[in-house]
Amino acid sequence: MERVAPGRAPAFEFQVLGPLTVVKDGAELAMSANRELVILASLLLNANRVMSVERLVEAVWAGSAPRSAWRQVAICVSRLRRTLGAGLIETSSPGYLLRASPASIDWLRFRELVARSRGHAAAGEREEAVLLLRDALALWRGQPFEDIRGLRFDAARMAESRLEALETCLELEIELGRHHQVIPELLALVAESPFRERVRAQLMLAQYRAGRRADALRTYQETRRYLLEQIGLEPGPALRRLHEQILRDESALMRPPAPRPATGRPVPSQLPPQVLPFVGRDRELATLDTILGSARAPGAMVLCGAAGVGKTTLAVHWAHRQADRFPDGQLYADMSATGPAPVMDRFLRALGVQEEIPADPAEKLALYRSCTARTRLLVVLDGAEDSDQVLPLLPGGPDCRVIVTSANPLDDLVARQGANRAFLQPLADDAARHLADLLVGGALGPQAVADLVVTSRGNPLSLRLGAARLRSRAGQPAA
């Protein structure tokens, strides 16, 4: 235990956002008597204000006080003074007053941080507002005053303040483009507070912006069913309006691009065009969403598979669909016929490096990592032959993501960097049939579709090549 210097007042820290805890000069005090805890909690919630004896009696006995209640309150206060030290609790008509610095009570610190965050949000400083709200929410350690009947209204008021702060924080994070990261937290919050339509609307919007339109619509249907079953009401107008916007794919739902600093250079957008029509791969796209959308997962994903199975098509499709998540740009390189050094040169120039690029590999790598350290960047490395091609091109920022396609499993990359990996299989029969029908069905009929499905064996490139040959022989224009 820390020794208190002579003449110095003891330093207290009071924690009420969870089990009531008192820390004096760095050591936790033993507080076991329930009535004393109730009185201390009441005084802390009204710190530096007089708390009448009548209100303390109500807090302790909740309407069933004995005739000796006033005397018992005085006894409890006397014991608290012995535990906490003289001078902290004063007698002041018509009751008592606890003098404490607002910084020493976590509930008051929480309210101060929330108030500061509102100022930053009003000024458009969303990042600063989110940081303050996260600091405020981190003060919570559980439910306050769970077993104290006399403080149930105070506990409800505090819990409501926490939920409002969390909703505001999640809303700001969605506006900042972090819809992938907040979805798990929103799902937990919906389970915790199922009647809060604002939370359900936030979940729907986050799911939609994350490319999970079907999940967003399912969330609305589950909400509607729950409200009808529990209270017999339809969702409110705001939730119904959001549902209609999602059904119509209104462009206003998508987050506008973040404003870019005036650097004088364009944001790199090097992704090749998508291969259309794109069919199937719902499970693989969901895997990419889950892995590359998580803040805790490794930032690299390896797509392996045989030639022509659709690795590049899948990677490019996902990258285009999630481009708004990477406001600092998307870099792309075909690694099948080049090494990492010339690719890194191109990447550095695309990232705005105007001075001479170092010839020394170590200096060049350090410059690349520095340029990407604080960015939200997507890097697609297509057709890599081995891990040595990939390792130098991994960006330095924790918010960057990398997709690598390769015919080889790249075990070394998985082992050394903790990369995730998915082995891409040929298209399922129904997806292959759908793709073949889109390519030749309208012009050449069902037999051509069936032949393509059989001969391609689900390999998308073989299917597309076969479709192109069939249409060429029939004199039909390309699909």
Side-chain angles (χ1 to χ4, degrees):
M1 178 175 173
E2 178 187 351
R3 178 172 293 177
V4 182
R8 180 172 68 84
F12 282 95
E13 182 180 354
F14 301 98
Q15 301 171 352
V16 298
L17 300 180
L20 179 56
T21 304
V22 179
V23 178
K24 180 180 179 182
D25 292 319
E28 184 176 337
L29 297 182
M31 306 287 293
S32 56
N34 185 59
R35 290 175 184 171
E36 293 170 20
L37 286 174
V38 175
I39 291 173
L40 178 59
S42 300
L43 293 172
L44 286 171
L45 291 180
N46 296 273
N48 303 309
R49 293 184 295 174
V50 175
M51 186 78 169
S52 69
V53 176
E54 287 90 345
R55 290 181 63 191
L56 292 175
V57 168
E58 177 62 26
V60 174
W61 285 280
S64 56
R67 297 178 63 181
S68 61
W70 280 52
R71 182 169 58 85
Q72 292 189 45
V73 166
I75 293 172
C76 289
V77 170
S78 178
R79 289 174 179 165
L80 284 171
R81 284 169 169 161
R82 286 199 299 270
T83 301
L84 301 176
L88 194 66
I89 302 178
E90 302 175 3
T91 301
S92 181
S93 180
Y96 301 96
L97 176 148
L98 185 146
R99 293 202 180 277
S101 164
S104 67
I105 304 173
D106 57 359
W107 166 239
L108 299 183
R109 293 205 308 276
F110 170 83
R111 294 176 63 185
E112 189 265 339
L113 288 168
V114 171
R116 285 171 55 195
S117 76
R118 291 195 192 102
H120 284 286
E125 299 167 347
R126 296 171 182 168
E127 190 73 54
E128 291 79 2
V130 166
L131 291 174
L132 288 169
L133 286 170
R134 285 296 176 186
D135 287 343
L137 293 165
L139 296 173
W140 286 76
R141 299 171 294 111
Q143 294 294 331
F145 319 133
E146 281 190 287
D147 301 321
I148 303 178
R149 288 176 50 213
L151 296 179
R152 61 186 182 276
F153 295 115
D154 295 282
R157 172 172 59 92
M158 296 165 73
E160 178 66 21
S161 296
R162 171 189 164 271
L163 283 173
E164 288 181 358
L166 182 53
E167 289 173 356
T168 301
C169 181
L170 293 169
E171 189 169 287
L172 290 169
E173 290 184 303
I174 292 172
E175 292 174 4
L176 287 167
R178 300 171 188 168
H179 32 269
H180 290 80
Q181 292 94 321
V182 303
I183 287 175
E185 198 167 1
L186 284 167
L187 287 168
L189 190 54
V190 166
E192 176 187 340
S193 305
F195 288 106
R196 297 181 80 91
E197 292 193 19
R198 180 186 180 189
V199 177
R200 291 182 179 266
Q202 290 174 339
L203 176 59
M204 289 170 60
L205 181 59
Q207 289 171 325
Y208 182 79
R209 289 186 175 177
R212 295 163 56 178
R213 182 174 181 267
D215 286 343
L217 295 172
R218 187 181 303 113
T219 295
Y220 177 81
Q221 295 301 332
E222 290 172 354
T223 299
R224 182 174 182 269
R225 183 166 56 251
Y226 182 84
L227 293 176
L228 286 171
E229 290 175 354
Q230 296 298 319
I231 56 177
L233 293 177
E234 291 279 352
L239 208 58
R240 294 200 304 271
R241 167 65 177 155
L242 178 60
H243 177 239
E244 293 168 0
Q245 289 178 298
I246 292 173
L247 285 173
R248 291 196 294 267
D249 282 318
E250 290 190 9
S251 58
L253 289 178
M254 298 307 296
R255 180 176 62 91
R260 302 292 307 172
T263 59
R265 64 171 180 86
V267 176
S269 301
Q270 300 180 347
L271 298 174
Q274 296 190 62
V275 177
L276 298 174
F278 183 89
V279 170
R281 303 301 189 196
D282 291 341
R283 184 178 61 182
E284 291 84 353
L285 288 169
T287 299
L288 286 167
D289 285 342
T290 300
I291 292 175
L292 297 182
S294 171
R296 295 175 293 276
M301 180 72 179
V302 181
L303 299 177
C304 303
V309 79
K311 303 181 294 296
T312 302
T313 300
L314 173 62
V316 171
H317 180 80
W318 186 89
H320 276 283
R321 194 174 72 166
Q322 302 295 341
D324 71 298
R325 285 194 55 225
F326 305 99
D328 293 301
Q330 306 89 41
L331 300 175
Y332 173 88
D334 182 354
M335 306 298 297
S336 60
T338 187
V343 172
M344 190 181 296
D345 289 349
R346 295 201 300 271
F347 282 1
L348 285 170
R349 285 192 288 271
L351 292 169
V353 175
Q354 298 178 351
E355 65 269 19
E356 184 177 352
I357 296 174
D360 180 72
E363 290 184 24
K364 187 184 299 186
L365 177 59
L367 178 60
Y368 177 64
R369 296 278 165 81
S370 298
C371 289
T372 58
R374 293 175 179 83
T375 62
R376 293 171 62 195
L377 190 72
L378 175 65
V379 179
V380 180
L381 303 175
D382 192 19
E385 296 181 1
D386 54 47
S387 299
D388 291 337
Q389 279 186 304
V390 174
L391 286 170
L393 297 172
L394 297 179
D399 293 324
C400 296
R401 295 293 180 264
V402 181
I403 303 179
V404 183
T405 70
S406 178
N408 302 315
L410 304 188
D411 292 330
D412 197 38
L413 186 66
V414 174
R416 291 168 62 182
Q417 296 295 321
N420 286 281
R421 180 170 56 190
F423 292 91
L424 211 59
Q425 303 298 323
L427 289 173
D429 286 347
D430 56 344
R433 193 175 302 108
H434 185 200
L435 179 58
D437 188 57
L438 290 172
L439 293 171
V440 302
L444 304 179
Q447 187 58 49
V449 170
D451 291 343
L452 272 179
V453 172
V454 171
T455 56
S456 68
R457 298 182 180 180
N459 184 292
L461 181 59
S462 298
L463 196 153
R464 291 178 187 276
L465 288 172
R469 294 190 187 104
L470 285 174
R471 296 182 70 91
S472 177
R473 291 171 189 165
Q476 295 290 336

